Each structure stands twice: as C-alpha cells, then as structure tokens.
C-alpha cells in the first residue's frame, strides 16, 4: 500500500444520535443514523469526541462531561458502543447543521456507534429484534429481505418520555451503497399521550452494522402534535 493510504482501508463507522432543542417554547427532538469515514470521526479514551462534516451535520464534545459509555459485542466480534455528552460546569458540546450552530440545545447528546457493514448480503432474509439503546419498552421487529433490499417495520412499539407509541408499521428500500441506509415513514400507528400524532409524517432511518449485517442502528422522529417532536435511537440485532 502506498504511504498514507491506510485510511482507505479503515472501516467506516455508523453513528446514530438524538438531541433536543427548544424553538419558540416548543420542544424539537431530532435523531438520525449515518455512515462516516475514518477522517470524519475522532475517538479518545473517553469515547466519541467528534464526528461529522462541517458543511452538513457536525458534533463536537469539546469540554462536555461524558456519562459512562457502554458496549456489547456483535456476532462478528466488533463492538457497538453508546454514551452521552452532558453540558456542565466544565463546558458544553457544540452541534451545527449546514455550518450554522444549533441554538438552545438541551444539555444532553446521546449517541451509538458501530462498525459499518462494508458489503451487504445479497441473498436471504433476517429478522432484527430490539437490543440496546435509548428507546424504552420496545416491542415488534424489523425484517429485511436482502435479495430485493426491502426493510419492513413490523408492529413496532416503544416509549419516548411520557408518550407511548404502538402498532407502527412501515417499509423502505435500503441503498445499494455502503451500509445500506434506509429511510421511510410509518404507514400506521397510534400514540397514547399525543395531541395529534401523525404516523405518515413521522420518520425512521437506519444503517446496518457488523461484517455480515449482524445488526442495525435505527432512529425515529415522531410527530406528536402540539407537544412537538419526540425522537430516539436504538440498536437491533439478528
């Protein structure tokens, strides 16, 4: 290999995250998953230090406090880790989108990170069930057909704060590139505690992790009505 080419062979990482900001008195929570190359991520002894692209989304821990990170091993032996940044006396993290600093962020940033699947399977099917993360009381599963690249959300249910979502179904086709990013809207579902829940306006995303797509990171943003949006990120494994 040519000198300096090592980064070309380093494994990409998938990061899922969520945070909350307040806009005109309304809570707006955001969540997403995405694949990043090695140059776009920095990790130190305390965990994730920064990631992203300054022209797109960028997150930097700076002097924010770090809640203890946790990890599990996937079937291929790679690790899935997760943790939180918390603003405190020592300083705060900074988030930006499109080069503009995101204002009025609640002082907590949650993230999950795992090795991106480099080559997606092209045959077979698999069912992914909830593993670890930041969504509570999860039920249901996600089924994937690797031949036609279809993803199906099957009767998913979970809690985000005081809101309880159930009967969520939806579908998407994942990308042929990289770790199979997918994005879609729910076709059905209900919410206990929401003033005007809209499944069709609520969004989910995902990327696969592990050598053989052993798991996936899943994010969702739920449109609750007057309460604003509620969001979360979670890992699913085969």
């Amino acid at each position: 290999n040519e000198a300096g080419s090592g980064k070309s062979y380093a494994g990409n990482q998938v990061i899922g995250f969520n945070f909350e900001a307040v806009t005109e008195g309304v809570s707006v929570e955001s969540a997403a998953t995405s694949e990043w190359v090695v140059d776009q991520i920095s990790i130190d002894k305390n965990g994730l230090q920064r990631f992203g692209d300054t022209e797109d989304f960028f997150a930097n821990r700076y002097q924010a406090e770090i809640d203890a990170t946790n990890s599990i091993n996937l079937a291929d032996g790679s690790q899935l880790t997760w943790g939180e940044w918390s603003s405190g006396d020592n300083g705060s993290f900074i988030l930006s989108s499109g080069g503009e600093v995101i204002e009025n962020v609640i002082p907590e940033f949650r993230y999950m990170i795992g090795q991106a699947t480099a080559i997606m399977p092209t045959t077979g099917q698999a069912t992914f069930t909830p593993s670890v993360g930041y969504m509570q009381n999860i039920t249901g599963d996600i089924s994937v057909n690797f031949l036609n690249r279809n993803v199906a959300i099957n009767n998913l249910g979970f809690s985000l704060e005081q809101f309880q979502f159930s009967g969520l179904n939806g579908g998407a086709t994942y990308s042929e590139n990289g770790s199979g990013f997918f994005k879609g809207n729910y076709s059905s579902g209900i919410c206990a505690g929401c003033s005007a829940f809209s499944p069709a306006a609520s969004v989910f995303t995902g990327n696969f992790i592990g050598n053989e797509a052993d798991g996936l990171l899943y994010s969702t943003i739920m449109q609750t009505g007057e309460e604003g949006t509620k969001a979360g990120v979670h890992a699913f494994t085969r």
Side-chain angles (χ1 to χ4, degrees):
N1 298 333
E2 296 179 5
S5 65
K7 65 184 180 182
S8 300
Y9 303 94
N12 292 354
Q13 301 288 310
V14 170
I15 298 177
F17 61 89
N18 78 276
F19 65 92
E20 178 183 1
V22 177
T23 302
E24 296 181 354
V26 177
S27 167
V28 178
E29 294 189 25
S30 298
T33 64
S34 189
E35 179 178 345
W36 303 96
V37 302
V38 64
D39 283 351
Q40 296 173 312
I41 301 172
S42 177
I43 297 174
D44 62 19
K45 65 180 181 180
N46 295 315
L48 184 64
Q49 198 276 327
R50 63 170 175 79
F51 73 94
D53 184 333
T54 54
E55 295 181 359
D56 185 15
F57 178 84
F58 187 75
N60 196 324
R61 191 179 75 215
Y62 284 111
Q63 300 300 316
E65 298 174 0
I66 305 167
D67 289 351
T69 56
N70 301 282
S71 66
I72 61 170
N73 289 328
L74 298 178
D76 70 333
S78 65
Q79 280 197 329
L80 165 67
T81 63
W82 66 99
E84 301 174 10
W85 301 342
S86 298
S87 297
D89 294 338
N90 294 328
S92 177
F93 58 86
I94 294 180
L95 310 177
S96 66
S97 178
E100 298 292 331
V101 173
I102 300 174
E103 303 287 352
N104 302 317
V105 176
I106 299 299
E108 185 175 78
F109 181 85
R110 298 171 172 177
Y111 70 88
M112 307 188 76
I113 180 171
Q115 179 182 318
T117 302
I119 301 176
M120 291 292 296
T122 56
T123 61
Q125 302 182 47
T127 298
F128 294 81
T129 56
S131 178
V132 295
Y134 293 105
M135 296 155 68
Q136 296 79 46
N137 307 314
I138 299 189
T139 57
D141 59 58
I142 300 173
S143 59
V144 179
N145 185 315
F146 293 114
L147 177 61
N148 57 26
R149 299 187 290 114
N150 281 349
V151 177
I153 311 302
N154 303 313
N155 201 32
L156 200 61
F158 50 81
S159 300
L160 294 173
E161 300 176 10
Q162 74 271 30
F163 303 97
Q164 298 178 347
F165 302 91
S166 60
L168 296 166
N169 296 282
T173 300
Y174 65 78
S175 170
E176 294 183 89
N177 301 319
S179 55
F181 174 77
F182 61 87
K183 180 179 181 179
N185 302 90
Y186 298 103
S187 58
S188 64
I190 59 175
C191 172
C194 298
S195 60
F197 172 60
S198 173
S202 299
V203 180
F204 59 83
T205 73
N207 286 79
F208 292 88
I209 55 177
N211 285 337
E212 302 295 329
D214 304 303
L216 63 86
L217 290 185
Y218 182 86
S219 78
T220 189
I221 301 175
M222 312 302 288
Q223 297 288 346
T224 65
E226 295 178 356
E227 298 82 12
T229 60
K230 298 300 172 184
V233 61
H234 209 87
F236 287 66
T237 54
R238 295 207 205 193

